[in-house]
Amino acid sequence: MATKTLILPTPEKLKEIYQDLGMTEEKIDADVQTIVEWMRKQPHLPNPDGDERRIRLFLILCKNSLERTKESLDQYYTLKSMVPEFFGDRDPTSPPLLRSMKTSLFIPLPKLTPEGYRVSLSRIRTPEIDNFEFSDYVKVNFMSIDIRLSKLDMFKKEIFIFDLKDINMALLTTMVPHMKKFVYCATTAYPLRIQEIHIINMPSYAQTMVNMVLSVLKKKIANRIKIHSSLEDMKKHIGVDILPLDYGGTFPKTSEELIVDWQEELIKHREWYLSQNSVNCDENKRTKKPCVKVNMLAGVEGSFRKLEVD
């Protein structure tokens, strides 16, 4: 089982993932239909027809909880409607998004860990601030997660690698005011089960941004962040067979080659992205209060200040 860009779990590994969560293929099929019928009865939610694969993976990531899956789907569609700068007008062939793909990188690495975890790599590809737009960077990130959850991927948990090598002060200035909203949307719209977050090549002045991220994350996730002094240190946690060649790994491609493959994947699904632009909540038909924190969608005003972390 594989796509051009992602190696998927073997049937044996998938069965193991299901068993760990107390699930079976038959139960998942039944639960997906339960969620589909529930969505049809929610006047503010979009038509769920054709969305069964996303619902299936949401169920797995919500550890087989129907109520948590319902809440996560509601949050996902609500944020799509409320935060258009991150979720709207997603055309992977548009000049702003093509430019973003040239200036930054956020890709899932093709090979799963032995436990069935997907590793994703994020970094800035150029420190040139004139070519960087943070909202477009976030939009491409979320497009990558969406296509994985809806069409391409199957995994148990997520591991993130953030390479801060080319985060200079000018870029940091553009990113920090929006970081709170970005982190909240990422952790609320998607029920990703984060196993670890690895940070490499972190300059001292990026501590402000890291502190801000820590202040927004749940404590159990914040405790899973590991800051590494070297690639060798990170490789103690992630197998070299998963890492690309330029990160000291043995997977037979560099990160630059992998980003080309992933860009082609996004562009190949252009029609799907365009069709999804209008798949949102209708807040005028909502009968209950949204389960998102509107105050968390505000930016951080004023100059930087060091945030204390519990």
Side-chain angles (χ1 to χ4, degrees):
M1 297 173 64
T3 67
K4 178 185 175 183
T5 51
L6 299 176
I7 301 169
L8 301 183
T10 63
E12 294 75 21
K13 174 56 69 174
L14 194 56
K15 185 177 180 181
E16 181 183 311
I17 291 172
Y18 290 163
Q19 288 176 340
D20 287 347
L21 299 172
M23 307 170 84
T24 64
E25 188 73 40
E26 294 73 23
K27 187 177 187 311
I28 293 175
D29 289 342
D31 287 347
V32 166
Q33 290 310 307
T34 298
I35 297 292
V36 166
E37 291 305 316
W38 170 80
M39 287 185 66
R40 289 194 177 117
K41 295 174 183 177
Q42 308 307 307
H44 64 290
L45 291 180
N47 186 332
D49 292 344
D51 211 17
E52 289 84 358
R53 196 181 191 283
R54 188 205 309 271
I55 294 170
R56 174 179 293 266
L57 198 42
F58 267 52
L59 270 166
I60 292 172
L61 296 173
C62 291
K63 296 190 286 188
N64 198 24
S65 167
L66 286 173
E67 290 310 308
R68 178 72 185 100
T69 303
K70 291 176 183 178
E71 181 182 340
S72 291
L73 287 164
D74 193 290
Q75 290 173 166
Y76 169 73
Y77 287 113
T78 299
L79 284 170
K80 270 194 75 182
S81 301
M82 294 179 67
V83 193
E85 66 268 34
F86 290 169
F87 293 96
D89 297 325
R90 299 190 296 178
D91 179 349
T93 65
S94 68
L97 297 191
L98 288 175
R99 182 173 63 248
S100 181
M101 293 178 202
K102 290 181 180 178
T103 59
S104 59
L105 174 157
F106 179 76
I107 53 170
L109 300 184
K111 191 173 181 179
L112 290 167
T113 71
E115 300 83 3
Y117 304 159
R118 179 70 65 196
V119 181
S120 292
L121 171 65
S122 176
R123 68 173 166 84
I124 301 300
R125 300 174 77 190
T126 171
E128 305 269 339
I129 188 172
D130 290 343
N131 294 321
F132 182 79
E133 176 59 52
F134 185 71
S135 62
D136 290 335
Y137 163 76
V138 174
K139 188 178 291 189
V140 173
N141 286 5
F142 289 172
M143 287 169 66
S144 293
I145 295 173
D146 275 340
I147 200 66
R148 286 175 50 210
L149 297 186
S150 300
K151 287 193 167 290
L152 301 179
D153 210 354
M154 186 62 68
F155 60 100
K156 185 177 181 181
K157 292 185 181 181
E158 190 92 39
I159 295 174
F160 292 109
I161 301 172
F162 291 96
D163 183 351
L164 306 187
K165 179 182 177 182
D166 286 317
I167 296 285
N168 57 35
M169 280 299 295
L171 279 172
L172 199 63
T173 302
T174 69
M175 297 171 74
V176 165
H178 312 286
M179 191 57 59
K180 177 181 172 183
K181 180 188 284 190
F182 166 48
V183 175
Y184 178 73
C185 288
T187 56
T188 304
Y190 305 103
L192 298 178
R193 298 177 62 199
I194 300 174
Q195 177 67 15
E196 296 169 344
I197 298 173
H198 298 276
I199 299 176
I200 58 174
N201 298 319
M202 188 180 89
S204 59
Y205 51 78
Q207 188 66 53
T208 298
M209 181 174 68
V210 173
N211 286 345
M212 183 172 291
V213 171
L214 287 170
S215 73
V216 178
L217 290 174
K218 293 180 180 178
K219 194 160 188 175
K220 70 175 183 177
I221 301 300
N223 289 338
R224 295 173 186 171
I225 293 179
K226 305 177 190 301
I227 300 175
H228 300 285
S229 58
S230 66
L231 278 174
E232 291 303 313
D233 186 46
M234 186 179 72
K235 285 193 288 186
K236 297 174 184 176
H237 302 267
I238 301 175
V240 294
D241 58 323
I242 292 167
L243 295 170
L245 295 171
D246 52 327
Y247 280 80
T250 60
F251 188 83
K253 286 192 175 185
T254 66
S255 62
E256 289 297 322
E257 291 173 312
L258 291 175
I259 187 62
V260 170
D261 292 343
W262 191 244
Q263 286 174 353
E264 291 176 357
E265 192 75 80
L266 298 186
I267 291 171
K268 183 173 75 174
H269 288 90
R270 177 177 183 265
E271 292 305 316
W272 180 82
Y273 283 117
L274 295 180
S275 71
Q276 290 290 303
N277 281 337
S278 59
V279 180
N280 296 312
C281 274
D282 185 343
E283 295 298 333
N284 293 323
K285 296 181 180 179
R286 184 185 291 276
T287 57
K288 295 181 181 180
K289 186 178 179 181
C291 49
V292 299
K293 298 176 182 177
V294 176
N295 63 308
M296 293 297 289
L297 300 179
V300 178
E301 303 297 333
S303 58
F304 293 1
R305 60 184 179 87
K306 183 162 178 146
L307 299 175
E308 297 300 324
V309 181
D310 293 336

